[in-house]
Amino acid sequence: MKNKLLTFLGVLLSLHVVPDPVSAHHGKGAFDMDSLTTLKGTVTKFEFINPHALIYVDVVGDKGNVDHWIAESSSNNHLSRGGYDKNSLKPGEQVTVTGHRAKNGAYGLELQCKECLIADLQGKVLLGYYF
C-alpha cells in the first residue's frame, strides 16, 4: 500500500512539474502584444523549420543603415496546413512584415496572430495567419 501511494505521489508530482517548461516555450511575454510593428525590407533567408519558421529581413533605417530583423512564425507543420512551404518566401523579395516587436528593443517580430503577415509590395500575402 505504501509503495502504491509513493508511486501515485511521484506521478502526480511529475505531471505538475513537466507542463511549466512547455507553457513557457509558448509564452509571448517577450513581445509587445498590444501593438503591431510594420516594416518594409528584403528577405535574406527563410528557414522553414521546427519549432518555428524564421524569416530574416534586411530593413534600411532612417539614416541609411541596414537593420537585420528576424521574424518568428508558426511551425512548418502549421504553415504547411495553410498551404505554405519552403518556397513561399525567397531571398531578394521585397516585403512588408507586420508583427509584434520584441519588448527589449531587439530586431525581432512575432508573427502568430490574425493581423500578422508578410506581403509583397503589392499587398499579396506571402505568409500569413490561416487558422
Side-chain angles (χ1 to χ4, degrees):
M1 179 72 171
K2 187 176 182 181
N3 284 341
K4 287 183 180 179
L5 179 62
L6 287 175
T7 302
F8 174 74
L9 290 174
V11 170
L12 189 61
L13 179 63
S14 68
L15 290 175
H16 176 68
V17 171
V18 170
D20 286 341
V22 174
S23 65
H25 170 80
H26 290 101
K28 295 182 180 176
F31 299 96
D32 179 3
M33 301 306 289
D34 295 326
S35 63
L36 291 169
T37 298
T38 300
L39 310 167
K40 288 186 182 182
T42 305
V43 174
T44 59
K45 188 176 182 182
F46 178 41
E47 294 182 346
F48 196 69
I49 58 173
N50 279 319
H52 300 280
L54 299 175
I55 304 97
Y56 298 80
V57 179
D58 281 354
V59 177
V60 178
D62 296 336
K63 299 177 182 174
N65 54 318
V66 177
D67 299 325
H68 307 288
W69 286 77
I70 300 175
E72 177 183 293
S73 187
S74 297
S75 70
N76 59 4
N77 184 26
H78 285 129
L79 293 171
S80 293
R81 285 186 249 156
Y84 302 109
D85 63 25
K86 64 182 181 179
N87 297 311
S88 294
L89 295 171
K90 297 173 186 61
E93 284 186 295
Q94 299 293 308
V95 295
T96 299
V97 184
T98 301
H100 299 283
R101 185 168 185 181
K103 285 182 180 177
N104 67 0
Y107 296 130
L109 292 174
E110 186 275 338
L111 302 180
Q112 299 180 54
C113 70
K114 290 181 182 180
E115 302 82 14
C116 299
L117 59 88
I118 298 178
D120 65 16
L121 297 183
Q122 289 72 44
K124 177 185 173 193
V125 175
L126 303 174
L127 192 71
Y129 186 85
Y130 69 92
F131 298 99

